[in-house]
Amino acid sequence: MPTTARPIHVLHVDDDPDLAEIASIHLEREDDRLSVQTATTPDDAVDRLTTADIDCIVSDYEMPGTNGIEFLETVREEYPDLPFVLYTGRGSEEIASEAISAGVTEYLQKGSGTSQYTVLANRITNAVEKYRSTRALETSRERLSLFFEQSPLGIVEWTEEFEVSRTNEAARRILGYDKGELVGSSWEAIVTESDRENVADVVEKLLIAEGGFHSINGNVRRDGERIVCEWHNRVVTDDAGDVVVVFSQFQDITERKTREKELEWTNAVLSTLLDTLPIGVLAEDGSREILAANDRLFELFDRSGSPEDIVGADFKRVVEGIREQFADSAEFVGRVDEIVANDSSVHSEDVLLEDGRTFVRTHDPIELPDGNGHLWTYRDVTEQRAYEDRLEALNETAQELITADSRERVAEIGVNAARDVLGLDGNAIHFATEDRSALVPVAGTESVYDLIGEPPEFTEGDSIAWRVYESGEALAVDDTHDDPDIYNPESPLRSELHLPLNEYGILIAGSPTPDAFDQEDLVLGQILAGGIVSALEQIEQIEQRRAREQELTKQNERLEEFARIVSHDLRNPLTVAEGRLALARETRDWDQLAAVERSHERMSALIDDLLALASEGSHVGDIAPVDLGSVVEDCWENVSTEDTVLHVESDREIHADRSRLQQLLENLIRNSVEHGAADGLSRTDDGGDLTVSVGDLAGGFYVEDDGLGIPADACDDVFEPGYSTGEHGTGFGLNIVKRIVDAHGWEITVRESADGGARFEITGVAFAAD
C-alpha cells in the first residue's frame, strides 16, 4: 500500500451504517492515505462538509428522502469541483447519465466480495490527485498574477511566438511605454541591434525547453535611449510538459554597469599585483567592508572558495569565521580593533595560531577616493622557525643515534609520538642502513602489523619514502596505494604523512581504510489473504426464488422494488458479513463474527418482508367483519414488546381481510417498539415504559405511541420502500402497511401524537354495523 505524509479525507454517505463501517475499514486497509468518515444521511453529510476538511465524497444512490444525485446537486452548489463518487448497488444507464449531467466525478456500481474496495480506493485516489493538481495549478496561476502586478521588477509575458502578451507597470516605466503599446510587438522592438543575435539564442532555447535562462543585454526605450538590462527568462510547464506561461523579469542596470567598467581597469591592476605577492593581503575601506584579498591569504587561513567571495563582505564577519584558528581569538580580535582605532602602522607583529603556526602581521593605513582604508598583510614564518627548532633538536640527539640500542629507543619514541600526537592508527620507523643503500623497518605500532604485517624495506629509487629520506622534507600523500614502490595495491594502509629523521631514516604515519562490510539481504514475505468462504448456495437459492417471483409478477409495480431489494438492501448486510468474515480470518479477531451474526439476522428480517411483498403484494382475500380489539390482542402476542404497555380503546368490528389486517397492525406495533426511542430501546425520553394505543376514529382507527416520534419533514417518506431511521430496521414494514391500506381502499396518514410520539390514522374503513 502506498505511503505518503498527506492523507486523503473521505466522507462516505450511506444510510446503512454497517455497510458504511465495513467499507471504511476496507478502504483504509487498501490505501493508508485514506481516512474515512461516515454519514448516514445527506443532511448530516452537508453539515460535515462545513466543519471538516473533506477531499472526496463517496455516496450511495438509494437513501431515504434524498437520493444520491439530488445530494450531488446540493454539494455542487457549494463545492463545484470537489470529487464525488456515486457508489450504488442500483446501476442503470439512466442513473449514470443523470449523474454525469449533475457533475459526478466517478460512477461505480457496488459488487460482491472485498475486491470492490480495491477498485473504489483507486477511483478515490485518482480523483483526489487530479483535483489537487488542478487546484495547485489554479493557485499557482493566482500567485503568478499577483506577483506579476506587484513585482518591483519589470515583467513581460510572452506568447508562443515570443510577442508581448502583457506587461506590468514596472516594465512600462523602465522601457518608457504606456499601457498596451507593446502588446503584440516582437522582442526585437526592445533589443539593440548589437545584442539581437545573443537574445535570439535565448529565445530559441526558451521555445524548445523548459526552465530559466539569464541574460544581460542592451535595450531600447521608446524614446530611443539605450539602456542595459538584466533579464531572467523562464518557461513554466505543467506536469504533462505543456507550456503554461513564458515570462521575463528584468531590471535596468545601466548605472551599475557603468560603475563596473570604471572599476575594471583598477581591479585588473590590483588583482595582478595581489596574485603575484608571496604573502597574504587584504584591503578594507573605512566602514570595514572588504575591497580585495588574494589567494595566498585564503591558503594561509585554510578558507575554501576564492577571494572574490568575500569582496563587499564585512571584515568583522569574515574574522568571526576564522577566529577559532587563533591561539587566543579574543586577543586577536581585540588587537585588530585597537590597530584600526589608532589608525597606526604595525610591522612584524607575531600572530600565534591554534594549530601551532606562526604568522607575521603588518598593517598600514591607506587613502581611498571616498575616505580612508586599511591594508593588512600576513606571512607564514612557521616553517622557518620549525626548521631551526628541528636542527637544534637533531644536533642534541645526534650522539644518541650512533648505536643500535639508541636507534631502537628513537624508534620507540617516534612510534609513540606518531600514535599519541598525530592520532594515526598505523605508523612505522624506517632507519637507513650503514651503507645508505636501503631503509629498513625497525619499529611499528600494533596497527601496522595487524593491517599489513611486516612493513616493507625501501631501496634507492623513485619511491616516495626514498625521496623524503634523500630530500629531508616532509611530504603528505593522499593515497600510497597508487605507488607500487611503497605498498602493493591490496594494502589496507592509507599513508598520510612521511616525516624525515635527517640522515638516519624516515617515519611513515598513516591510517587504515574502512573495512568493507557485507550488507545483509532483507527478505520480505508476502501474506496472502484467503478468499471468503460463506453459505453462497443458500443466498443464490434466495436470489433465484426472488428472480422467479419477479418474472411471475413482472407486470406489477413490485418488479422495480424487488430488483432494488436484491441488488441493494439485501446486498448491504451480505457485503458487511463477507467483509467481517474476511477480517476475522485474516486477523484472527473472532469478535468480528458477532457482526456477521447481526448481518445474517438483518438478512432474515429482509427476507421475511420480501416474502410478504412477494406472496401477497397489494391484494386482499375475503372481506368479512373483524373484531379490531381482538386482532390487536393477537398481534401483541406476536411482537416482542418488553417494557411496553398496550392500551386498546375499541369495541367495534370492521370489514377487512383478517390476515392482512393482522399483518398491518403487527407492523405498526413493531414500528413503535423499535423506533419509539433512541437506539431502538422501548423507552420514552423521560425513562418510563413506552405506551402503544389503538382506538377508534370517525371512519376508521388509529395506532399511536408516546415515544420519540417521527420528524415532521420525514412524515411523507416513511412509507417509501427501504426507508428506516433505525440501525436494524429493514425499511419495508411501513411500506407493507401502506400496501395493505391501499388494497382495502383505505387511507393512512402519520402525524405527531398528543404525547409527542408517532400517530398513524387509517380512515375510509367500513364498520360492520354500518
Side-chain angles (χ1 to χ4, degrees):
M1 294 183 290
T3 302
T4 181
R6 188 177 184 185
I8 296 176
H9 299 285
V10 180
L11 177 59
H12 187 188
V13 185
D14 197 304
D15 59 314
D16 188 323
D18 285 341
L19 182 61
E21 180 184 0
I22 195 62
S24 301
I25 293 173
H26 279 280
L27 285 174
E28 292 178 350
R29 288 171 64 86
E30 286 292 337
D31 193 323
D32 59 10
R33 292 176 295 179
L34 299 180
S35 175
V36 184
Q37 303 179 37
T38 61
T40 56
T41 67
D43 290 341
D44 184 23
V46 171
D47 293 339
R48 197 77 58 84
L49 285 173
T50 62
T51 59
D53 184 13
I54 301 300
D55 298 310
C56 181
I57 297 175
V58 177
S59 175
D60 191 12
Y61 174 78
E62 288 283 355
M63 292 182 290
T66 302
N67 64 36
I69 293 180
E70 293 169 343
F71 174 46
L72 169 61
E73 292 171 344
T74 300
V75 171
R76 284 289 175 258
E77 292 178 1
E78 295 294 331
Y79 309 94
D81 301 317
L82 184 67
F84 191 107
V85 178
L86 190 61
Y87 182 49
T88 177
R90 181 183 177 185
S92 69
E93 293 183 1
E94 179 183 357
I95 294 177
S97 176
E98 290 181 16
I100 293 172
S101 299
V104 73
T105 307
E106 290 284 351
Y107 175 84
L108 182 62
Q109 190 169 353
K110 294 179 180 178
S112 62
T114 58
S115 61
Q116 61 180 309
Y117 301 116
T118 302
V119 177
L120 179 58
N122 288 337
R123 297 286 180 90
I124 292 171
T125 55
N126 291 339
V128 171
E129 288 173 359
K130 182 178 179 180
Y131 171 68
R132 286 177 173 174
S133 298
T134 301
R135 289 290 301 274
L137 180 59
E138 291 175 354
T139 301
S140 177
R141 286 174 174 169
E142 292 174 359
R143 291 176 178 174
L144 178 62
S145 179
L146 182 63
F147 167 75
F148 187 93
E149 296 299 334
Q150 298 184 357
S151 174
L153 300 177
I155 302 180
V156 178
E157 183 178 332
W158 306 96
T159 66
E160 293 183 2
E161 292 76 25
F162 233 82
E163 295 177 346
V164 177
S165 174
R166 61 172 176 156
T167 59
N168 69 347
E169 182 179 352
R172 296 190 292 273
R173 183 177 63 253
I174 294 172
L175 298 173
Y177 286 86
D178 293 330
K179 187 175 183 179
E181 282 189 309
L182 274 174
V183 174
S185 302
S186 169
W187 60 269
E188 296 172 330
I190 58 174
V191 178
T192 59
E193 290 187 11
S194 59
D195 282 337
R196 285 182 182 175
E197 183 176 352
N198 294 333
V199 175
D201 291 339
V202 174
V203 171
E204 182 178 358
K205 293 177 181 177
L206 287 169
L207 291 175
I208 63 175
E210 62 180 37
F213 298 88
H214 172 262
S215 63
I216 296 177
N217 52 264
N219 293 102
V220 183
R221 287 172 49 87
R222 187 176 184 276
D223 57 10
E225 179 186 356
R226 264 54 174 173
I227 59 176
V228 179
C229 293
E230 183 178 27
W231 293 78
H232 296 273
N233 313 286
R234 187 164 187 83
V235 178
V236 179
T237 58
D238 58 21
D239 294 338
D242 296 328
V243 175
V244 176
V245 66
V246 181
F247 70 94
S248 300
Q249 295 177 266
F250 69 102
Q251 59 179 334
D252 184 354
I253 60 170
T254 306
E255 185 177 350
R256 190 184 81 191
K257 296 300 289 184
T258 299
R259 292 198 306 269
E260 289 176 355
K261 287 184 177 180
E262 292 175 353
L263 291 174
E264 280 183 7
W265 184 84
T266 303
N267 287 340
V269 173
L270 179 60
S271 178
T272 302
L273 178 62
L274 290 177
D275 290 343
T276 57
L277 291 174
I279 58 177
V281 179
L282 182 142
E284 59 175 335
D285 62 16
S287 63
R288 311 301 302 276
E289 182 177 302
I290 295 176
L291 301 176
N294 67 350
D295 291 331
R296 180 56 181 161
L297 183 73
F298 270 59
E299 294 173 1
L300 289 174
F301 288 101
D302 295 327
R303 283 187 62 93
S304 59
S306 65
E308 289 76 12
D309 296 337
I310 63 172
V311 172
D314 182 74
F315 176 83
K316 289 185 177 181
R317 294 187 61 183
V318 173
V319 170
E320 284 298 319
I322 61 173
R323 65 180 298 165
E324 71 278 0
Q325 297 188 29
F326 301 99
D328 189 338
S329 59
E331 191 278 335
F332 173 81
V333 173
R335 178 56 179 158
V336 168
D337 291 341
E338 180 184 357
I339 293 172
V340 170
N342 295 333
D343 199 25
S344 57
S345 296
V346 174
H347 298 281
S348 301
E349 186 173 78
D350 285 353
V351 177
L352 300 180
L353 275 70
E354 184 68 24
D355 60 7
R357 290 181 296 166
T358 302
F359 292 171
V360 169
R361 172 175 55 201
T362 67
H363 168 266
D364 285 296
I366 57 175
E367 293 184 3
L368 300 172
D370 55 354
N372 296 328
H374 310 276
L375 180 66
W376 303 88
T377 67
Y378 289 85
R379 180 166 60 94
D380 188 354
V381 296
T382 306
E383 187 176 349
Q384 174 184 343
R385 295 184 181 177
Y387 181 73
E388 295 172 352
D389 293 341
R390 187 168 58 185
L391 285 178
E392 183 178 354
L394 288 174
N395 288 332
E396 292 176 354
T397 59
Q399 296 301 319
E400 296 181 11
L401 298 176
I402 296 176
T403 66
D405 292 340
S406 61
R407 283 191 172 189
E408 292 177 2
R409 177 58 181 162
V410 170
E412 180 182 355
I413 294 173
V415 168
N416 292 335
R419 179 179 56 210
D420 299 334
V421 179
L422 298 177
L424 300 174
D425 295 323
N427 39 72
I429 297 290
H430 288 69
F431 279 122
T433 58
E434 293 182 359
D435 59 358
R436 295 178 57 84
S437 62
L439 293 170
V440 180
V442 296
T445 62
E446 292 180 0
S447 297
V448 171
Y449 299 111
D450 291 340
L451 287 169
I452 63 173
E454 185 69 19
E457 294 184 6
F458 299 105
T459 57
E460 184 175 3
D462 294 330
S463 69
I464 294 177
W466 195 267
R467 290 200 299 272
V468 171
Y469 167 64
E470 283 196 323
S471 66
E473 296 179 356
L475 180 64
V477 181
D478 285 339
D479 198 336
T480 55
H481 291 184
D482 296 333
D483 192 331
D485 293 324
I486 303 176
Y487 299 120
N488 64 65
E490 302 301 325
S491 172
L493 185 66
R494 177 183 177 89
S495 178
E496 303 264 335
L497 192 64
H498 290 66
L499 301 175
L501 300 176
N502 207 351
E503 75 255 34
Y504 302 106
I506 64 169
L507 180 147
I508 299 178
S511 61
T513 58
D515 292 332
F517 64 94
D518 295 327
Q519 183 176 4
E520 295 182 356
D521 294 330
L522 300 178
V523 180
L524 299 178
Q526 293 184 335
I527 300 176
L528 303 178
I532 299 174
V533 179
S534 62
L536 293 178
E537 292 182 356
Q538 296 180 14
I539 301 301
E540 190 174 319
Q541 291 174 4
I542 295 172
E543 292 180 344
Q544 290 175 354
R545 184 176 64 210
R546 296 298 170 263
R548 288 195 302 269
E549 291 171 345
Q550 290 176 41
E551 183 65 25
L552 294 174
T553 59
K554 62 182 178 181
Q555 301 301 325
N556 194 285
E557 293 179 351
R558 291 169 304 179
L559 175 63
E560 180 180 352
E561 295 174 4
F562 241 81
R564 182 173 65 77
I565 292 168
V566 175
S567 65
H568 179 271
D569 296 88
L570 189 57
R571 190 177 302 279
N572 286 358
L574 176 60
T575 302
V576 171
E578 289 178 335
R580 293 288 188 178
L581 190 57
L583 286 175
R585 283 185 171 144
E586 184 175 347
T587 64
R588 301 297 179 183
D589 179 11
W590 305 120
D591 292 339
Q592 301 286 344
L593 297 181
V596 176
E597 183 180 7
R598 290 195 299 271
S599 296
H600 286 166
E601 291 174 351
R602 187 178 177 196
M603 281 189 288
S604 178
L606 277 169
I607 292 171
D608 289 341
D609 284 347
L610 188 61
L611 288 172
L613 286 172
S615 63
E616 298 176 2
S618 300
H619 301 284
V620 294
D622 295 334
I623 302 297
V626 178
D627 188 318
L628 180 62
S630 175
V631 175
V632 171
E633 296 291 345
D634 291 342
C635 293
W636 191 254
E637 297 298 326
N638 296 333
V639 178
S640 176
T641 56
E642 185 179 357
D643 296 329
T644 307
V645 178
L646 173 68
H647 287 304
V648 179
E649 300 173 354
S650 173
D651 56 359
R652 305 179 68 176
E653 291 184 342
I654 63 174
H655 288 283
D657 180 338
R658 182 182 177 90
S659 175
R660 302 306 307 278
L661 176 62
Q662 182 171 338
Q663 187 179 19
L664 178 153
L665 290 169
E666 286 182 0
N667 282 4
L668 288 178
I669 294 172
R670 185 178 294 108
N671 180 77
S672 294
V673 172
E674 293 180 352
H675 303 286
D679 300 323
L681 298 176
S682 300
R683 307 291 294 176
T684 58
D685 54 5
D686 62 357
D689 291 341
L690 181 75
T691 300
V692 178
S693 302
V694 181
D696 296 332
L697 285 174
F701 60 94
Y702 67 87
V703 178
E704 68 175 11
D705 60 66
D706 59 356
L708 298 183
I710 299 174
D713 58 356
C715 288
D716 294 334
D717 301 324
V718 294
F719 299 110
E720 293 295 323
Y723 182 89
S724 176
T725 59
E727 294 184 1
H728 305 292
T730 66
F732 294 97
L734 294 181
N735 179 252
I736 293 175
V737 169
K738 182 68 166 59
R739 287 181 176 278
I740 297 173
V741 167
D742 292 342
H744 282 85
W746 302 336
E747 293 182 358
I748 185 170
T749 57
V750 60
R751 64 188 61 184
E752 183 178 357
S753 70
D755 295 320
R759 178 182 175 92
F760 295 86
E761 296 181 352
I762 294 89
T763 57
V765 180
F767 292 96
D770 294 345

